Structures are given as C-alpha cells and as structure tokens.
Amino acid sequence: MHTPRTTLCWLRRDLRLGDHAALAHAQGAGRVLAAFVFDPTLLTGLAPDDARVALIWHSLLEIRQRLRALGSDLAILYGDPAAAIPRLAARIRAHTVFAARDYEPAARARDERVAALLAADGRALELVKDQVVFDTGEVLTREGKPYTVFTPYARAWRARLSPADTGSLAVRLAPDAFLPWRDDEMVSLATLGFADNPIGRAHAGEAAAAQRLAAFEAKIADYHAARDYPAQGGTSQLSAALRFGTVSIRALARTALAHDGAGAQAWLNELVWRDFYQQLLWHFPQVEAGSFKPAFRTLRWPGEEAHFEAWKTGQTGYPLIDAAMRELLQTGWMHNRLRMVVASFLTKDLLIDWRRGEAHFARHLLDFDLAANNGGWQWAASTGCDAQPWFRIFNPVTQSQKFDPDGAYIRRWVPELAALDARAVHAPWQAKALPDGFLLGRDYPAPIVDHAAQRERALALYGKQP
Ligand SMILES: Cc1cc2nc3c(=O)[nH]c(=O)nc-3n(C[C@H](O)[C@H](O)[C@H](O)COP(=O)(O)OP(=O)(O)OC[C@H]3O[C@@H](n4cnc5c(N)ncnc54)[C@H](O)[C@@H]3O)c2cc1C
C-alpha cells in the first residue's frame, strides 16, 4: 500500500496556522507534523515571568488545540534544536524539514548546524520566506548591492511589489493533511522554569492578533495624523504579533493595500521599514555588535552609571522620558515616537552607549526584534546607515509639548505629576507655580542633567570623531 510522504514543519517566529509559508510548502510535500522547540540557550537569563515566554506558550497551546482536533498534534520539544529536530525528523521519517527563514546571525548559525545534521542523515532543511515581504537579495540596487538608505529602498520595494508578494499562503486544515500524532513529551511552562504572565497571555494567539488587526483597520485612515501622539493610541500595536508571527506580514500588507489614503500609505511605509532593517541585518550582520558607521566605532561614552539607572527606572526628572520608560517596564511596549526620544536622551543627553539602551529594550520589549531594535537604536544614536544626523538632538521638553500637548500621556504613567497643569507638566522645574504641597526633588526628581549643557557635550563628543 502507498504510504504518504511525511514532512516536518518547524515553527519558530510563525506561531499560527493561517497564511503560513512553511506549513503551505510542507503540505505540498507530504503529510505534516508541526513542531516547536524551546531552546535552553535562548531561555537562559530571562526573568522567570518573562511575558514573551508566556506569549509563545499560549500561542502554542492554541495551535495544539486546533491540530488535536484534526487528529494530529503540535510536538513541543525542549533542548538544542540541532539535536531535537533531526531526531524527530528521523522518528517520523520526514524527508524534508520546512521552516521560515530567520535573518538573525545566531539563528542563521543554528539553521546551518541543523541543515548539516539533517543532510548527514539524508534529509533536507528547506527555509522559506515568511517573515518579510521581500528578503535577502530580492530588493537590491542597480549595481546588485544592498540598499543602505531607506527612501530609495522603499521606492524599489514598492516598484517590485505585485499581488503575488502579499497573497495568502493557504494551509489546508484537514485531518489528512497532518500526520496522526500525539505528543508524549509534555513540556509545560512550569517544567521550563517559567511562570505565566497576563501580558504575554493577552497578546498570544492568532485569534487575538486578528482582532487587533480588525480594530486597527477601523482607524487606519487616521494613522498618518494620529501616529505621533502617544496618548491617542493611533498605531496598531501589532508589533508583538508580527514578532512572533501570530499574524502574517502579508495579511498586514494586504490590509494596507486594501485602503486608499494617507493613513494606509503611511502604515505600509512602516512595514517597509521593517523589511529594510531585516535585510540590513542579513547583509550587514556586524551591526549586531557595533556601529554601522565606522567613524563611531571607537567613540567612548562618558555617561554615568547613576544616570543609566535613573533612565531605566523612569526617574530622570524629564516627565516624557520617565513616562515612556515606566510604560515599558509595566507593559512591555513603548510608542515609536517615545522610543526615538528616550534613545536620543540616553545617547545624546546622558552620553551613554546606545548598546546599553538596546540591551535594556531587548530585555523588556514584548516585541523585541534584533533587526528593528538595533536599527532603531542606531538611527537614534546616529551610528546607523540611514540615521538621524549626529548634530540633530531631540529636546525632551519640546518633544513633550509637541506630542503630548495636554500632558495626558505623562499623567497616566507618572501619577506624581497628575495635579500639574498642561504648561508645568512638561518641565516642572521651569514652572512659575506648582500645586500646593508639591515639592520638586521630593515628590518628583529634579532633572538629572541640563539638556542645553549636555547637548553641547554631545556635539563635542560626536564632532571629534574622524
Ligand atoms: C530605539 C527603537 C527601538 C525599537 N525596537 C523595536 C523592536 O525591538 N521591535 C519592533 O518591532 N520594533 C521596534 N522599533 C520600531 C517601532 O518603534 C515599533 O515597531 C512600533 O512602535 C510598534 O508599535 P505598533 O505595532 O503600534 O506600530 P505601527 O505604527 O502600527 O507599525 C506597524 C508595524 O510596522 C513595523 N514598524 C513600525 N515602525 C517601525 C520601525 N521604525 N522599524 C521597524 N519596524 C517598524 C512594526 O512591526 C509595527 O508593528 C524600535 C524603534 C526605535 C526607535
């Protein structure tokens, strides 16, 4: 009797069952078993209640439940993928393991190891594009080189785009499409050494991502006007869903393309920024370790440790900075405008190495993504390829007045300032009058540095570089 060929689909940053490149390709090659591997090297050092682990866990449970309804399962494994994946592939006699291509240096090294071990056993690892609209060599300059400036990259990206690039990669959810299976290894969050986290749980799963996308679609027309005002909630907050692939980038691009108008255009542009940073990391993996611009690689940052602590905990005395840093600690998210402002403040007001800020974000952001985070930090620190010029330095007070004009965002995250009026709340130390009983330096810190003086120091520091 003919036995159908089996394939293994290794889920990583694509935790969903719909519009799924690796699953669609795997189904074209046989009956599929889906698997996920918790890699101890990635879990080491995370807080025991890390929201991202909970997000992954609950997303996996949703997938598992749906696959069990089809008589199959999601194999949830723990260990070095270089051992776990070839072992499982051998066990089910999968000729090919399918997975979505990952652009991070460590993931690339891991995938090369897995591919070599599979090959030694007569099997193949096939990596397919899923995480971005265009990857690796798909958008290059006329000379065949990677773009390092966003605007021409975005132009070329849009010129290349056809409906096929954003079409849904359909997955057949039928019992005969999946391998009959019952996972017997039963990893649990507790056995992984992690506790549940309500924030991770709230962001988990394909259904939640679809709801978030539908809610955003209703206001996409206003995105261009609302996107810079943190109190307005005008952005999609889909970054964690995209990071873990509970929604596909193609679904987001289709949504943007289905709407006319400046809002949808501006949003599509952000999706292009995401592709831009992914391809940058692929072509220039050295950005993970240091400045893209060689001139800034030797820069010595004179900032103080106490200032770094104040920045991390939201105690700098600059209300907008403190509000944003506290929101990050409490929710794992921060608005893009504020990511730019706090990153500029760390590097150009506190004169602290951007890599320390990058690492703090990496620890706390639910949507932490090496390519976007590194790109954002190098942009703000002016060390990146298409960065903010080094002599452009955000003024944290004018940014606050401009983008949180009535102080609503500040008051939400810095309750000590709730009674300050819209003029005083941006810079309490400059206020002519403060509410009765409010004492600066006791109830809220006085500014830890003077922006004007630090600006001059930053200009001197950056200006010294060759
Ligand atoms: C210093 C710094 C660090 C950052 N770190 C990260 C990070 O670790 N992970 C991350 O996903 N984004 C990062 N960003 C980019 C951006 O701030 C977030 O993607 C955005 O705030 C997420 O909110 P949203 O989903 O509501 O975005 P929306 O405005 O709704 O945008 C839609 C999607 O486009 C993508 N996107 C938007 N802006 C950018 C951008 N500038 N670069 C790359 N992709 C973008 C995101 O995937 C986002 O979900 C960083 C930006 C800066 C300045």
Side-chain angles (χ1 to χ4, degrees), residues 223 235-239 242 267 270 336 339 367 369 373:
Y223 177 76
T235 70
S236 69
Q237 302 218 6
L238 276 159
S239 47
L242 266 175
W267 197 58
E270 295 310 314
N336 182 59
R339 295 188 202 203
D367 64 26
D369 170 77
N373 196 41

Side-chain angles (χ1 to χ4, degrees), residues 286-311:
Q286 66 272 25
V287 295
E288 188 185 7
S291 297
F292 180 89
K293 286 199 179 115
F296 295 124
R297 284 190 196 138
T298 51
L299 206 145
R300 296 240 170 280
W301 304 85
E304 293 171 30
E305 203 52 41
H307 288 170
F308 187 47
E309 280 309 310
W311 178 83

Side-chain angles (χ1 to χ4, degrees), residues 13 216 223 227 234-243 249 252 266-278 333-344 357-358 361-362 365-380:
R13 295 179 54 147
F216 175 67
Y223 177 76
R227 57 174 293 217
T235 70
S236 69
Q237 302 218 6
L238 276 159
S239 47
L242 266 175
R243 167 62 183 84
I249 182 65
L252 267 58
W267 197 58
L268 183 65
N269 207 49
E270 295 310 314
L271 303 182
V272 183
W273 268 108
R274 181 175 171 276
D275 267 21
F276 177 69
Y277 283 138
Q278 293 288 344
W333 189 77
M334 192 194 289
H335 189 280
N336 182 59
R337 165 64 43 187
L338 301 176
R339 295 188 202 203
M340 296 193 293
V341 174
V342 302
S344 173
E358 182 195 21
F361 270 31
L365 279 175
L366 196 59
D367 64 26
F368 163 59
D369 170 77
L370 177 58
N373 196 41
N374 183 276
W377 274 96
Q378 296 228 35
W379 181 89

Side-chain angles (χ1 to χ4, degrees), residues 6-146:
T6 60
T7 61
L8 182 59
C9 183
W10 177 15
L11 305 185
R12 293 108 66 97
R13 295 179 54 147
D14 44 2
L15 305 182
R16 64 184 186 279
L17 290 176
D19 189 1
H20 194 291
L23 273 172
H25 279 85
Q27 287 194 338
R31 263 182 121 167
V32 182
L33 177 66
F36 182 88
V37 187
F38 279 104
D39 180 349
T41 58
L42 298 179
L43 297 178
T44 307
L46 298 180
D49 62 345
D50 192 293
R52 294 162 297 193
V53 180
L55 189 161
I56 293 171
W57 178 251
H58 289 288
S59 301
L60 296 179
L61 289 189
E62 189 184 283
I63 294 171
R64 162 173 275 185
Q65 210 175 12
R66 291 174 68 195
L67 289 175
R68 283 189 171 175
L70 300 174
S72 187
D73 207 341
L74 175 68
I76 303 179
L77 312 173
Y78 175 81
D80 178 0
I85 289 294
R87 197 187 311 124
L88 183 58
R91 186 167 159 202
I92 64 166
R93 302 197 180 154
H95 54 94
T96 306
V97 177
F98 289 87
R101 188 170 300 120
D102 194 314
Y103 309 98
E104 296 186 4
R108 288 167 73 174
R110 172 201 63 200
D111 290 349
E112 276 169 26
R113 277 194 303 138
V114 174
L117 287 160
L118 283 169
D121 198 23
R123 302 173 209 283
L125 175 66
E126 192 161 323
L127 298 175
V128 295
K129 178 180 68 171
D130 182 78
Q131 198 180 300
V132 288
V133 176
F134 294 123
D135 76 355
T136 61
E138 289 188 306
V139 179
L140 297 173
T141 65
R142 242 181 270 143
E143 295 75 42
K145 298 217 168 82

